[in-house]
Amino acid sequence: MNPGGAFIDRCRNAVGTLAEGLLGLMYPPACALCHERRALPASGHVCDTCRDRVRRISGPVCPRCGLPFSGSETGAPGPCADCRDASTPWDRARAAVHAEGIALEAIHRLKYQREPWFATFLSGLLVEAALPDLADRQVQGIIPVPLHPVRRREREFNQAERLGLPLAMALGVEVVTDRVQRVEPTRNQATLDRRERRLNVRSAFGPRGHGRLAGHWVVVDDVLTTGATAAAVCGVLRQMGASQITVWAVARATLDGPAQGLLAGRPVDPR
């Protein structure tokens, strides 16, 4: 560890905190979404009213991919049609909220407009849903879906890492970024159908290093649609020895849902 570097980081954090406090005195913090009600940095600059408007996923879901079932089903539901027709390299996939409205806008602004405070808001939604599910499952670590190096340099951060860190802290485990890597840039998944998505990321990920994995690992991403990207990452983890894999995303989308309209039409995206 570099003591000088740590001191510089502490100074930067102190200056940032002081500047934020002074700005808060001059300009009372307003919600970054509705711009009407008060919202603090600790909430990701999202007010309680906007947060309450986010539609959480509740009720019956597919036991494999977490797709919410419509209607009023009772009892333990079986797999959805897609999961009945194909196997998945994960054991379970789940998401916290529906990919629509406020949640979708926050994801879009975090990723494409570089508004990092939304990571606090979105990771809070993830922890709210995932922590009760994972708390007693002996998780070894959190694996954020990796970015290709080109996209990482362009975006300057990996949103999956930022979303996964608070969950890792709540579970008392590490965010592990040195075991799986993105080895190929790919087209934007939002413009593709189910088969095209699977082919698009088929060889996009690979292991980093030669070590083996064991136990239960959690893959984290911002949006889960067909699961093609998460499945490609999970396939690598299986090859490395992971015995159990759970996927957790902030938001669950469908191919015909609003997320596709918002995220489509972008250039080649190594993400």
Side-chain angles (χ1 to χ4, degrees):
M1 182 175 179
N2 182 355
F7 175 75
I8 291 172
D9 287 342
R10 287 196 297 271
C11 289
R12 286 174 176 168
N13 290 337
V15 171
T17 301
L18 177 61
E20 189 172 68
L22 292 173
L23 286 172
L25 291 174
M26 293 184 291
Y27 304 100
C31 177
L33 292 168
C34 70
H35 309 290
E36 295 177 357
R37 288 167 287 271
R38 181 179 174 85
L40 299 174
S43 65
H45 295 283
V46 176
C47 69
D48 291 342
T49 300
C50 285
R51 181 183 178 89
D52 290 344
R53 287 172 56 195
V54 175
R55 190 158 65 106
R56 274 71 167 178
I57 292 177
S58 60
V61 299
C62 171
R64 294 184 190 172
C65 75
L67 180 71
F69 289 121
S70 59
S72 56
E73 297 197 19
T74 58
C80 67
D82 292 325
C83 289
R84 286 196 299 269
D85 295 338
S87 61
T88 57
W90 62 64
D91 295 281
R92 300 180 312 122
R94 296 290 185 270
V97 304
H98 294 268
E100 61 185 23
I102 286 172
L104 187 55
E105 179 182 349
I107 290 170
H108 186 272
R109 289 171 63 177
L110 169 65
K111 292 173 66 172
Y112 300 118
Q113 298 181 24
R114 296 185 181 182
E115 299 184 34
W117 45 86
F118 283 118
T120 301
F121 166 60
L122 295 167
S123 63
L125 297 175
L126 180 63
V127 170
E128 176 186 288
L131 183 59
D133 176 67
L134 298 172
D136 298 324
R137 293 182 181 269
Q138 297 184 325
V139 172
Q140 302 300 307
I142 302 293
I143 305 282
V145 171
L147 284 176
H148 188 273
V150 173
R151 176 59 70 203
R152 176 92 186 211
R153 287 194 296 270
E154 291 176 352
R155 192 172 292 167
E156 300 179 347
F157 66 93
N158 179 358
Q159 72 278 357
E161 291 180 20
R162 295 195 177 189
L163 296 172
L165 179 58
L167 178 60
M169 294 175 64
L171 291 169
V173 299
E174 298 291 327
V175 173
V176 179
T177 60
D178 60 353
R179 305 312 304 272
V180 182
Q181 61 184 332
R182 188 99 183 205
V183 296
E184 292 182 359
T186 56
R187 296 166 60 194
N188 184 0
Q189 293 282 75
T191 65
L192 308 178
D193 62 24
R194 184 176 297 275
R195 177 179 176 277
E196 290 170 334
R197 287 171 182 240
R198 186 175 65 253
L199 295 175
N200 189 42
V201 296
R202 180 174 52 186
S203 57
F205 301 96
R208 174 176 286 176
H210 302 287
R212 299 287 292 172
L213 295 176
H216 182 189
W217 293 82
V218 176
V219 173
V220 167
D221 206 0
D222 52 355
V223 179
L224 181 70
T225 306
T226 66
T229 300
V233 175
C234 293
V236 174
L237 296 178
R238 288 292 191 198
Q239 293 171 12
M240 297 175 71
S243 60
Q244 186 176 359
I245 303 172
T246 299
V247 175
W248 262 100
V250 174
R252 190 63 162 85
T254 58
L255 282 175
D256 57 352
Q260 309 316 305
L262 183 60
L263 301 180
R266 295 190 171 274
V268 173
D269 185 354
R271 175 62 180 77

